[in-house]
Structure formats: structure tokens, C-alpha cells
Amino acid sequence: MKSLQDHLSNFINCNELADVKFLIGKKKKEMYGHQLILSINSEMWKSMFYTMKWSEMDNKKIAVVKVPEQDPKIFAKFLQYCYTGSVKLTTESVLPLYKLSDKYMMEDLKELCVHFLESSIIKNKCFQFYEKILEMNDKNLLEWIMTVIKKNSRYFFSPKGAFYGVKFQTLKRLLKNPNYDCHEIKLFQRIEEIKLKFAEKCKLLKLLHFDLIGSKGIKKIKKTELGVFWIKREKRKREKQLEIQKKILKKKILCLKNTKLYSMLTKSLRFRKATHEEKCRSTKAPLRADQVRVLIMTTTTYPKYLNDIMESIFSQGILRKNVSVLNVNLKTVTLNDLRIYDSIFVFSYKPLKKAKYYGNLLANFVKLGKGIVICASDCLREKHERSLQGEITSLEYLPFQQGKLIHQKQASLGKVHHPDHPIMKGVESFDGGSDSFRINTKLISPEATVIAEWSDGIPLIALKKNQIENDLQGNVIVLNIWPVSDSVRNNKTFWLQNTDGKKIISNSILYSVNF
């Protein structure tokens, strides 16, 4: 017996009962569609057909839609998805289909294209996709592929990766980003091997940082022509830095009133070497907001959600270049990978595959004296597939216990127990929207602090300070909210962007690192 999908597939590009005619490409190839089926898939189609002028053809009214920029083969696949809900994606068709789905606001097809890219981009076509996405000028896709390149750059820039055949301008644009993670000796060797002019290789070499080369690495590249160029450049660079540091020190010395101390310091300055630079620093400068490194640990693949949360994080001085995104369902990290971050912002949207592993990992991260901010609306739901498990869920770390989700009951900022707390700096109002996602919990840890409550008395912001050896303190802050604002949706179901949700999120991250 045939299914509904089989019956609908017979009407793909069929003139029978058709009331829409498409003119595809420059040659205006005719293809046919049905207004009702297309309108079900997209509100864009529905509004377009409602306002469109109709033409007469074969004694019946028909809408004529011109799509001159599309390839007929790609548009045929697009129609196949509209009629059957499924389509076979290829590396050639995925980006044009993504562009079509974005144009006609078909989120399901967009998500399908992104999933296909995630599974195929690790193969030897990363930079091909990157160049095509640059031509498309899609900001969401561009940010997404840049995060993929950063996370997997050790593979992409290796001999097995997709390094060879990259255009010079593409490679130059990638290397300008200081956050790529690649062993620079290997990257130096790749640059030396590719067929470029010496001047172009030198330009690429200037974009490298060479923080991890060391003496052994210098010996490996010293004999090459490109290596000699780099060594001279680095030497000049170090000399300039040393001259600047000497000038700064001299200015500080001139400000001293004690002449004996002045004479001692000037003598030491004459014999000071670059290798002793760090020893001259008596105290370490306090961490500033623009120095805080943040990792967003999540399970979502929606760029709009991530962009909205990032805008909240940036609102109080944290820099965009210091924020990274980790999808824990796509990549497994260790504690050593997390040491470079000062704070981790955790929220979930899809099932968490290694919930216990990451629960224990976050607990170990807190033991390092660092901070985490957890969004409770998904991560701390009781016995739920999206929730964290393991050591972090105990009251030894959390300020309150896991609970059941409450939503579709609008709530706002209620009683503020600590109005002078740094997390509440500049916070005057907060409205969770018509859904107001939060978990219902009352059991508070003895050492925890509830900073603010919802209007119905449920904890909104809670803090637990964990004292660790060597006078370190690991802060765990729980925001009992869903972190995405209604700027993503216009129906006011998420927290309202005209309230102070951004300040709550950014202040919490800064306080978690004892800022």
C-alpha cells in the first residue's frame, strides 16, 4: 500500500492540477507546483501567493514565479523536499539548497543542510566550502565554519587534511585569525611546500605567531631560505619590543624620588636581557574583563541561539575573540583542553550524550579554582535527557537541587536579596516572557547564596562558592532561566530583550572568575 509521501511524490513538477508555474534559470525552464502544498511548507510561499497576480493558462488561473538565479536541478531537489519532506544532499547541492531554504524561510531544510555539512566538512572539502560560503556572504554559516576550522585546524593544516589547493587569499584570511590551533612547525612546512611565490610565502609567514616553536623547531627550519627570513624577522621584532620596554622602564624610574634607588635601577637596566623580562615583574596584573576567556558548552547547532547568547556575554566588556563555542555532542574534550579558559557557560537544547562525563569534567574544572555558569532550565531538569549528571549535580557544587521544568507561566524579577551584589550591577528588571522557562526547586545548599528570586518565589540567581586548596575559590553560579532572548523569536516566549537579561548573563560570567 502506498504512503502519502509516495502519492505526493507523483505530483513533483507535474502539470496535473498545477496552479503555479516556475521559470527557472536564464533559459526559463518551466517547472510546475501546487499552491496548497507549497504554502504548507513555508509562510513565505503563502504570503507570496496571496498577494500575487494570477495569469490565465489552459482556461485556468496560474501563478508565474521567476527564479532566474537558480539551477533547475537544484530547484527540482528543493521541490522534492517540499512535497516529500526528504531529499538526498550532495556536496554540490547542499549550499544552494541552504540558500533557497533561507530565502523561503524553511528552517527544517536549513537544519538538514547544516547537519550534512557537519558530517562531511571534516573530510577533504573544508576550504572549498569555506570559499563558497564567502561568496554566499552568509554571516551565520561563515561564523559556523570558522568555529569548525578553529576546532579542527590541527587536522585541516596537516598533510592528510585539505590544506593543499587552498587559494592564497583564503589562506591569508584564515591565518589573520589568532585563535587557530595548529602546531606551527608543521604549518611552516606546509607553507614551504605549497607552490607559491617566495614573496607570498613571506606574507603568510608574517601572519604566524610562532609561540610554540622552541629551539628544536628553529633547528628544523633554520637551513631553509624561508626559515632564514623568519629568524631575521623575529630577531628584529624582539629588539623592537626590548627597546619599547626599556623606554617604559626609564619613564617609571624617572618618576622615583629616591635617587639611590634610581641609580641602582639604571645600572641594572644596562645589563638587563630579554630572557629576564618576566623575572622583573614583581606582581601579576589583575584580570580585566577584556582578558577573560569564556567557553560556551552546549548541544545546540542553531547559529541564531548562539549569536544571541554571545551578544549577552559581550555586553559588559568581554571580547568576542576570547569567546569559544563547544558542541559537546560533536567533540569530546579533556580537562587539559579546558585549562586555557577562565569560565564556562553551560546550556543545553538537545539530548546530552555524555552527561555523566561532562558533569564530572565540570566538577574538576571548578577544583582548578575556576568558575562556571549553568542555565538550569535544561541542564538541571530532574531525570531528563538534556540534563547534566555526575559529580557537578551534587549539593557540594550546586546551590540548589535539580527539579521539574515550569513553563507557559509568565514570571519576572521578584525579591532581590542582595541588591549590591556585582551580579545585580545595572539590573533593574527582568521578564522571562510568556514561557518563563525555569525549574521548580526549593532545596538550597547550606553554603549557597540566593541573590534574586522570580516573582513566584523560585530562585532566579544562586551562587555557591567552593573553597579549594592553595587559597583558590571555584564559583558555581546557576541562572534559573533560558538564556536566549525574544530577539530570536518575535512572539515574546523567551525573556524580553528590553529587560536586563544581558547584564545578568555577562555579570555572572565576570563574577565567576572573581572579577
Side-chain angles (χ1 to χ4, degrees):
M1 185 176 178
K2 287 187 176 181
S3 63
L4 178 61
Q5 188 178 12
D6 296 330
H7 286 297
L8 286 173
S9 63
N10 294 329
F11 285 91
I12 299 172
N13 194 18
C14 178
N15 193 14
E16 185 180 352
L17 301 176
D19 51 5
V20 181
K21 182 169 76 171
F22 297 100
L23 300 177
I24 312 299
K26 295 180 180 178
K27 295 183 179 180
K28 297 183 179 181
K29 183 178 178 180
E30 293 183 359
M31 299 181 78
Y32 296 94
H34 302 79
Q35 180 189 166
L36 179 61
I37 297 173
L38 294 170
S39 299
I40 291 171
N41 282 277
S42 169
E43 290 292 327
M44 184 81 173
W45 287 117
K46 188 176 180 181
S47 59
M48 191 170 71
F49 291 138
Y50 184 77
T51 57
M52 185 175 286
K53 293 181 180 180
W54 296 81
S55 305
E56 291 286 340
M57 189 181 78
D58 298 333
N59 297 324
K60 62 179 181 181
K61 289 184 177 181
I62 191 165
V64 179
V65 181
K66 296 179 181 179
V67 193
E69 73 279 4
Q70 282 300 328
D71 181 13
K73 292 181 181 178
I74 299 296
F75 198 80
K77 287 194 171 191
F78 180 70
L79 286 179
Q80 182 185 352
Y81 183 84
C82 292
Y83 279 73
T84 64
S86 62
V87 65
K88 186 177 180 181
L89 295 173
T90 62
T91 53
E92 290 77 20
S93 65
V94 62
L95 289 178
L97 282 173
Y98 178 91
K99 197 171 181 180
L100 271 172
S101 61
D102 185 54
K103 179 180 178 181
Y104 295 110
M105 296 191 299
M106 294 177 64
E107 296 297 328
D108 293 342
L109 182 55
K110 279 178 71 174
E111 188 176 354
L112 190 68
C113 293
V114 171
H115 282 306
F116 178 83
L117 286 170
E118 287 173 352
S119 60
S120 62
I121 205 167
I122 304 300
K123 299 175 184 177
N124 297 336
K125 294 189 178 179
C126 169
F127 294 112
Q128 294 178 18
F129 279 120
Y130 178 73
E131 289 167 0
K132 289 179 181 177
I133 290 170
L134 281 176
E135 293 174 3
M136 284 174 60
N137 198 22
D138 187 286
K139 291 183 179 179
N140 293 332
L141 267 185
L142 193 59
E143 288 181 10
W144 172 79
I145 198 169
M146 281 303 299
T147 55
V148 172
I149 291 173
K150 288 176 193 175
K151 292 176 183 177
N152 302 281
S153 56
R154 286 182 182 271
Y155 170 77
F156 290 138
F157 292 113
S158 68
K160 295 180 181 178
F163 185 84
Y164 296 102
V166 186
K167 293 179 182 178
F168 171 73
Q169 292 298 332
T170 303
L171 189 57
K172 185 177 178 181
R173 182 165 179 172
L174 281 170
L175 295 182
K176 279 184 178 179
N177 193 316
N179 295 325
Y180 62 80
D181 178 24
C182 177
H183 197 294
E184 295 188 305
I185 297 175
K186 292 181 180 178
L187 187 52
F188 179 91
Q189 291 168 348
R190 300 289 85 73
I191 290 174
E192 192 178 30
E193 290 170 8
I194 58 177
K195 296 179 180 179
L196 288 175
K197 296 177 181 178
F198 182 77
E200 290 180 334
K201 290 181 181 180
C202 292
K203 288 179 183 178
L204 293 179
L205 201 62
K206 286 180 181 179
L207 299 173
L208 297 180
H209 310 290
F210 291 108
D211 299 324
L212 305 173
I213 288 284
S215 57
K216 292 183 179 179
I218 290 174
K219 287 179 182 178
K220 288 183 180 179
I221 65 175
K222 198 172 183 180
K223 297 178 182 179
T224 64
E225 186 183 5
L226 206 56
V228 172
F229 166 81
W230 171 76
I231 291 167
K232 288 181 179 178
R233 182 179 69 88
E234 287 297 302
K235 190 176 179 180
R236 288 195 298 270
K237 188 178 177 182
R238 284 195 298 270
E239 288 174 353
K240 285 182 181 178
Q241 288 176 347
L242 187 57
E243 286 175 8
I244 292 168
Q245 288 162 3
K246 283 182 178 179
K247 288 179 182 177
I248 293 170
L249 276 174
K250 282 180 180 178
K251 286 182 180 179
K252 289 181 178 179
I253 291 167
L254 289 171
C255 295
L256 294 174
K257 295 180 181 179
N258 192 333
T259 56
K260 290 182 180 180
L261 186 59
Y262 172 75
S263 61
M264 289 171 60
L265 286 171
T266 48
K267 285 179 182 178
S268 65
L269 183 63
R270 293 171 194 167
F271 302 103
R272 186 173 179 271
K273 296 181 181 179
T275 52
H276 298 152
E277 176 190 352
E278 294 299 325
K279 294 181 181 179
C280 292
R281 295 185 182 179
S282 56
T283 56
K284 186 179 179 182
L287 200 65
R288 303 193 307 268
D290 59 356
Q291 295 174 326
V292 176
R293 292 179 64 88
V294 183
L295 175 68
I296 300 175
M297 187 179 284
T298 181
T299 57
T300 186
T301 55
Y302 291 126
K304 288 183 179 179
Y305 286 7
L306 291 171
N307 290 339
D308 184 78
I309 292 170
M310 282 185 173
E311 290 301 321
S312 298
I313 293 173
F314 304 147
S315 64
Q316 300 293 350
I318 298 173
L319 298 182
R320 184 178 294 271
K321 67 179 181 179
N322 290 344
V323 180
S324 304
V325 180
L326 170 68
N327 190 322
V328 294
N329 286 341
L330 299 179
K331 183 180 179 181
T332 303
V333 295
T334 62
L335 188 61
N336 284 331
D337 298 324
L338 301 181
R339 287 179 185 272
I340 62 172
Y341 299 103
D342 303 303
S343 180
I344 298 179
F345 184 81
V346 189
F347 81 101
S348 179
Y349 183 65
K350 293 184 179 180
L352 185 58
K353 293 179 182 178
K354 297 183 179 180
K356 190 172 182 179
Y357 171 80
Y358 279 105
N360 295 334
L361 187 66
L362 288 171
N364 291 330
F365 184 77
V366 174
K367 290 175 184 176
L368 295 176
K370 302 195 178 187
I372 60 172
V373 179
I374 302 176
C375 292
S377 61
D378 271 320
C379 292
L380 299 182
R381 290 170 67 177
E382 188 177 15
K383 296 179 182 179
H384 197 271
E385 60 184 0
R386 298 183 185 178
S387 297
L388 288 167
Q389 298 176 20
E391 193 177 353
I392 195 67
T393 58
S394 68
L395 289 180
E396 182 183 351
Y397 295 94
L398 290 182
F400 52 73
Q401 203 174 37
Q402 294 176 309
K404 294 183 179 179
L405 182 69
I406 300 176
H407 66 102
Q408 296 179 348
K409 293 181 181 180
Q410 188 159 6
S412 58
L413 179 64
K415 185 177 181 180
V416 179
H417 295 280
H418 301 277
D420 297 330
H421 197 279
I423 294 178
M424 300 304 295
K425 182 180 178 181
V427 178
E428 297 179 356
S429 64
F430 179 74
D431 193 319
S434 59
D435 276 342
S436 294
F437 297 97
R438 60 201 187 278
I439 64 166
N440 187 8
T441 181
K442 293 289 184 181
L443 183 58
I444 307 297
S445 172
E447 299 173 358
T449 304
V450 177
I451 298 168
E453 295 179 350
W454 285 95
S455 52
D456 57 2
I458 294 173
L460 173 63
I461 306 169
L463 166 68
K464 178 76 184 295
K465 296 181 178 180
N466 298 278
Q467 288 299 135
I468 303 159
E469 297 178 0
N470 302 325
D471 297 328
L472 293 174
Q473 181 175 284
N475 295 326
V476 178
I477 299 170
V478 176
L479 303 180
N480 198 4
I481 62 171
W482 171 242
V484 183
S485 72
D486 68 336
S487 62
V488 176
R489 292 184 179 179
N490 296 324
N491 53 6
K492 297 184 179 181
T493 54
F494 295 166
W495 68 264
L496 306 187
Q497 60 180 326
N498 58 359
T499 59
D500 297 319
K502 288 185 177 181
K503 293 180 180 178
I504 291 175
I505 291 172
S506 189
N507 288 343
S508 299
I509 291 172
L510 291 174
Y511 187 79
S512 70
V513 296
N514 300 312
F515 174 73

